[in-house]
PDB file of all heavy atoms in Angstrom:
ATOM      1  N   ASN A 655      -9.648   9.818  11.254  1.00 96.00           N
ATOM      2  CA  ASN A 655     -10.318  11.116  11.051  1.00 96.00           C
ATOM      3  C   ASN A 655     -11.418  11.060   9.949  1.00 96.00           C
ATOM      4  O   ASN A 655     -11.063  10.465   8.930  1.00 96.00           O
ATOM      5  CB  ASN A 655      -9.326  12.239  10.643  1.00 96.00           C
ATOM      6  CG  ASN A 655      -9.815  13.568  10.769  1.00 96.00           C
ATOM      7  OD1 ASN A 655     -10.926  13.773  11.354  1.00 96.00           O
ATOM      8  ND2 ASN A 655      -9.251  14.476  10.085  1.00 96.00           N
ATOM      9  N   GLU A 656     -12.654  11.503  10.295  1.00 95.00           N
ATOM     10  CA  GLU A 656     -13.661  11.520   9.351  1.00 95.00           C
ATOM     11  C   GLU A 656     -14.180  12.925   9.252  1.00 95.00           C
ATOM     12  O   GLU A 656     -14.369  13.617  10.297  1.00 95.00           O
ATOM     13  CB  GLU A 656     -14.849  10.736   9.690  1.00 95.00           C
ATOM     14  CG  GLU A 656     -14.463   9.141   9.778  1.00 95.00           C
ATOM     15  CD  GLU A 656     -15.778   8.467  10.215  1.00 95.00           C
ATOM     16  OE1 GLU A 656     -16.653   8.249   9.316  1.00 95.00           O
ATOM     17  OE2 GLU A 656     -15.805   7.958  11.337  1.00 95.00           O
ATOM     18  N   ASN A 657     -14.294  13.461   8.061  1.00 96.00           N
ATOM     19  CA  ASN A 657     -14.905  14.817   7.936  1.00 96.00           C
ATOM     20  C   ASN A 657     -15.859  14.817   6.790  1.00 96.00           C
ATOM     21  O   ASN A 657     -15.429  14.986   5.586  1.00 96.00           O
ATOM     22  CB  ASN A 657     -13.788  15.863   7.804  1.00 96.00           C
ATOM     23  CG  ASN A 657     -14.370  17.266   7.839  1.00 96.00           C
ATOM     24  OD1 ASN A 657     -15.534  17.559   7.486  1.00 96.00           O
ATOM     25  ND2 ASN A 657     -13.501  18.144   8.217  1.00 96.00           N
ATOM     26  N   SER A 658     -17.114  14.678   7.054  1.00 94.00           N
ATOM     27  CA  SER A 658     -18.174  14.537   5.973  1.00 94.00           C
ATOM     28  C   SER A 658     -18.250  15.909   5.277  1.00 94.00           C
ATOM     29  O   SER A 658     -18.548  15.964   4.123  1.00 94.00           O
ATOM     30  CB  SER A 658     -19.436  14.067   6.427  1.00 94.00           C
ATOM     31  OG  SER A 658     -19.942  14.902   7.461  1.00 94.00           O
ATOM     32  N   SER A 659     -18.050  17.064   5.852  1.00 95.00           N
ATOM     33  CA  SER A 659     -18.243  18.308   5.227  1.00 95.00           C
ATOM     34  C   SER A 659     -17.189  18.556   4.212  1.00 95.00           C
ATOM     35  O   SER A 659     -17.453  19.157   3.200  1.00 95.00           O
ATOM     36  CB  SER A 659     -18.277  19.452   6.290  1.00 95.00           C
ATOM     37  OG  SER A 659     -16.950  19.519   7.014  1.00 95.00           O
ATOM     38  N   ASP A 660     -15.971  18.134   4.455  1.00 96.00           N
ATOM     39  CA  ASP A 660     -14.911  18.272   3.291  1.00 96.00           C
ATOM     40  C   ASP A 660     -14.819  16.952   2.669  1.00 96.00           C
ATOM     41  O   ASP A 660     -13.834  16.892   1.626  1.00 96.00           O
ATOM     42  CB  ASP A 660     -13.627  18.844   3.779  1.00 96.00           C
ATOM     43  CG  ASP A 660     -12.778  17.812   4.617  1.00 96.00           C
ATOM     44  OD1 ASP A 660     -13.085  16.682   4.683  1.00 96.00           O
ATOM     45  OD2 ASP A 660     -11.709  18.268   5.147  1.00 96.00           O
ATOM     46  N   GLY A 661     -15.458  15.894   2.939  1.00 96.00           N
ATOM     47  CA  GLY A 661     -15.462  14.704   2.258  1.00 96.00           C
ATOM     48  C   GLY A 661     -14.227  13.730   2.274  1.00 96.00           C
ATOM     49  O   GLY A 661     -13.876  13.113   1.457  1.00 96.00           O
ATOM     50  N   THR A 662     -13.606  13.837   3.453  1.00 97.00           N
ATOM     51  CA  THR A 662     -12.264  13.151   3.706  1.00 97.00           C
ATOM     52  C   THR A 662     -12.346  12.211   4.763  1.00 97.00           C
ATOM     53  O   THR A 662     -12.889  12.413   5.782  1.00 97.00           O
ATOM     54  CB  THR A 662     -11.171  14.202   3.937  1.00 97.00           C
ATOM     55  OG1 THR A 662     -11.178  15.186   2.885  1.00 97.00           O
ATOM     56  CG2 THR A 662      -9.815  13.594   4.137  1.00 97.00           C
ATOM     57  N   ILE A 663     -11.765  11.017   4.607  1.00 97.00           N
ATOM     58  CA  ILE A 663     -11.530  10.029   5.538  1.00 97.00           C
ATOM     59  C   ILE A 663     -10.170   9.557   5.456  1.00 97.00           C
ATOM     60  O   ILE A 663      -9.621   9.276   4.471  1.00 97.00           O
ATOM     61  CB  ILE A 663     -12.385   8.732   5.262  1.00 97.00           C
ATOM     62  CG1 ILE A 663     -14.014   9.024   5.278  1.00 97.00           C
ATOM     63  CG2 ILE A 663     -12.231   7.677   6.419  1.00 97.00           C
ATOM     64  CD1 ILE A 663     -14.873   7.956   4.818  1.00 97.00           C
ATOM     65  N   THR A 664      -9.481   9.635   6.670  1.00 97.00           N
ATOM     66  CA  THR A 664      -8.120   9.244   6.765  1.00 97.00           C
ATOM     67  C   THR A 664      -7.984   8.100   7.803  1.00 97.00           C
ATOM     68  O   THR A 664      -8.694   8.103   8.835  1.00 97.00           O
ATOM     69  CB  THR A 664      -7.333  10.361   7.335  1.00 97.00           C
ATOM     70  OG1 THR A 664      -7.394  11.447   6.422  1.00 97.00           O
ATOM     71  CG2 THR A 664      -5.812  10.205   7.445  1.00 97.00           C
ATOM     72  N   GLY A 665      -7.176   7.138   7.484  1.00 96.00           N
ATOM     73  CA  GLY A 665      -6.902   6.042   8.543  1.00 96.00           C
ATOM     74  C   GLY A 665      -5.508   5.446   8.393  1.00 96.00           C
ATOM     75  O   GLY A 665      -4.708   6.002   7.695  1.00 96.00           O
ATOM     76  N   LYS A 666      -5.376   4.459   9.266  1.00 96.00           N
ATOM     77  CA  LYS A 666      -4.058   3.804   9.383  1.00 96.00           C
ATOM     78  C   LYS A 666      -4.321   2.395   9.169  1.00 96.00           C
ATOM     79  O   LYS A 666      -4.885   1.798  10.094  1.00 96.00           O
ATOM     80  CB  LYS A 666      -3.309   4.153  10.745  1.00 96.00           C
ATOM     81  CG  LYS A 666      -1.963   3.594  10.748  1.00 96.00           C
ATOM     82  CD  LYS A 666      -1.190   3.873  12.092  1.00 96.00           C
ATOM     83  CE  LYS A 666       0.139   3.287  12.040  1.00 96.00           C
ATOM     84  NZ  LYS A 666       0.820   3.635  13.290  1.00 96.00           N
ATOM     85  N   GLY A 667      -3.884   1.874   8.059  1.00 95.00           N
ATOM     86  CA  GLY A 667      -4.019   0.447   7.772  1.00 95.00           C
ATOM     87  C   GLY A 667      -2.867  -0.448   8.032  1.00 95.00           C
ATOM     88  O   GLY A 667      -1.744   0.053   8.194  1.00 95.00           O
ATOM     89  N   VAL A 668      -3.058  -1.675   7.997  1.00 95.00           N
ATOM     90  CA  VAL A 668      -2.001  -2.670   8.213  1.00 95.00           C
ATOM     91  C   VAL A 668      -2.281  -3.877   7.166  1.00 95.00           C
ATOM     92  O   VAL A 668      -3.337  -4.308   6.926  1.00 95.00           O
ATOM     93  CB  VAL A 668      -2.085  -3.318   9.609  1.00 95.00           C
ATOM     94  CG1 VAL A 668      -1.009  -4.356   9.755  1.00 95.00           C
ATOM     95  CG2 VAL A 668      -1.923  -2.237  10.604  1.00 95.00           C
ATOM     96  N   ILE A 669      -1.131  -4.305   6.543  1.00 93.00           N
ATOM     97  CA  ILE A 669      -1.157  -5.451   5.832  1.00 93.00           C
ATOM     98  C   ILE A 669      -0.097  -6.356   6.233  1.00 93.00           C
ATOM     99  O   ILE A 669       0.888  -5.983   6.838  1.00 93.00           O
ATOM    100  CB  ILE A 669      -1.040  -5.252   4.236  1.00 93.00           C
ATOM    101  CG1 ILE A 669       0.213  -4.443   3.946  1.00 93.00           C
ATOM    102  CG2 ILE A 669      -2.240  -4.511   3.697  1.00 93.00           C
ATOM    103  CD1 ILE A 669       0.562  -4.247   2.444  1.00 93.00           C
ATOM    104  N   LYS A 670      -0.374  -7.755   6.036  1.00 91.00           N
ATOM    105  CA  LYS A 670       0.677  -8.714   6.428  1.00 91.00           C
ATOM    106  C   LYS A 670       1.889  -8.740   5.370  1.00 91.00           C
ATOM    107  O   LYS A 670       1.737  -8.553   4.316  1.00 91.00           O
ATOM    108  CB  LYS A 670      -0.055 -10.135   6.302  1.00 91.00           C
ATOM    109  CG  LYS A 670       0.731 -11.178   6.946  1.00 91.00           C
ATOM    110  CD  LYS A 670       0.538 -11.265   8.437  1.00 91.00           C
ATOM    111  CE  LYS A 670       1.265 -12.299   9.077  1.00 91.00           C
ATOM    112  NZ  LYS A 670       2.417 -11.870   9.793  1.00 91.00           N
ATOM    113  N   ALA A 671       2.946  -8.887   6.091  1.00 88.00           N
ATOM    114  CA  ALA A 671       4.242  -8.960   5.261  1.00 88.00           C
ATOM    115  C   ALA A 671       4.787 -10.362   5.442  1.00 88.00           C
ATOM    116  O   ALA A 671       4.634 -11.034   6.435  1.00 88.00           O
ATOM    117  CB  ALA A 671       5.252  -8.013   5.884  1.00 88.00           C
ATOM    118  N   TYR A 672       5.491 -10.859   4.400  1.00 80.00           N
ATOM    119  CA  TYR A 672       6.129 -12.111   4.366  1.00 80.00           C
ATOM    120  C   TYR A 672       7.593 -12.006   4.022  1.00 80.00           C
ATOM    121  O   TYR A 672       7.933 -11.161   3.108  1.00 80.00           O
ATOM    122  CB  TYR A 672       5.341 -13.027   3.303  1.00 80.00           C
ATOM    123  CG  TYR A 672       3.966 -13.211   3.718  1.00 80.00           C
ATOM    124  CD1 TYR A 672       2.924 -12.400   3.174  1.00 80.00           C
ATOM    125  CD2 TYR A 672       3.590 -14.229   4.634  1.00 80.00           C
ATOM    126  CE1 TYR A 672       1.661 -12.592   3.502  1.00 80.00           C
ATOM    127  CE2 TYR A 672       2.232 -14.441   5.034  1.00 80.00           C
ATOM    128  CZ  TYR A 672       1.243 -13.616   4.403  1.00 80.00           C
ATOM    129  OH  TYR A 672      -0.003 -13.793   4.804  1.00 80.00           O
ATOM    130  N   ALA A 673       8.296 -12.872   4.457  1.00 74.00           N
ATOM    131  CA  ALA A 673       9.738 -13.044   4.149  1.00 74.00           C
ATOM    132  C   ALA A 673       9.913 -14.369   3.492  1.00 74.00           C
ATOM    133  O   ALA A 673       9.284 -15.361   3.935  1.00 74.00           O
ATOM    134  CB  ALA A 673      10.479 -12.910   5.452  1.00 74.00           C
ATOM    135  N   ARG A 674      10.813 -14.390   2.500  1.00 71.00           N
ATOM    136  CA  ARG A 674      11.044 -15.619   1.754  1.00 71.00           C
ATOM    137  C   ARG A 674      12.412 -16.192   2.024  1.00 71.00           C
ATOM    138  O   ARG A 674      13.328 -15.343   1.830  1.00 71.00           O
ATOM    139  CB  ARG A 674      10.862 -15.411   0.235  1.00 71.00           C
ATOM    140  CG  ARG A 674      11.034 -16.672  -0.587  1.00 71.00           C
ATOM    141  CD  ARG A 674      10.594 -16.408  -1.992  1.00 71.00           C
ATOM    142  NE  ARG A 674       9.054 -16.490  -2.046  1.00 71.00           N
ATOM    143  CZ  ARG A 674       8.400 -17.529  -2.472  1.00 71.00           C
ATOM    144  NH1 ARG A 674       9.020 -18.602  -2.872  1.00 71.00           N
ATOM    145  NH2 ARG A 674       7.078 -17.466  -2.444  1.00 71.00           N
ATOM    146  N   ALA A 675      12.490 -17.373   2.413  1.00 71.00           N
ATOM    147  CA  ALA A 675      13.828 -18.125   2.609  1.00 71.00           C
ATOM    148  C   ALA A 675      13.686 -19.407   2.195  1.00 71.00           C
ATOM    149  O   ALA A 675      12.688 -20.193   2.485  1.00 71.00           O
ATOM    150  CB  ALA A 675      14.166 -17.968   4.120  1.00 71.00           C
ATOM    151  N   LEU A 676      14.626 -19.957   1.408  1.00 73.00           N
ATOM    152  CA  LEU A 676      14.650 -21.388   0.868  1.00 73.00           C
ATOM    153  C   LEU A 676      13.322 -21.693   0.154  1.00 73.00           C
ATOM    154  O   LEU A 676      12.799 -22.768   0.314  1.00 73.00           O
ATOM    155  CB  LEU A 676      14.865 -22.273   2.053  1.00 73.00           C
ATOM    156  CG  LEU A 676      16.149 -22.076   2.900  1.00 73.00           C
ATOM    157  CD1 LEU A 676      16.264 -22.967   4.060  1.00 73.00           C
ATOM    158  CD2 LEU A 676      17.396 -22.345   1.909  1.00 73.00           C
TER     159      LEU A 676
END
Side-chain angles (χ1 to χ4, degrees):
N655 188 21
E656 297 179 76
N657 188 332
S658 60
S659 63
D660 75 2
T662 304
I663 302 174
T664 303
K666 186 174 181 185
V668 176
I669 55 175
K670 192 79 181 109
Y672 297 94
R674 180 168 286 259
L676 302 173

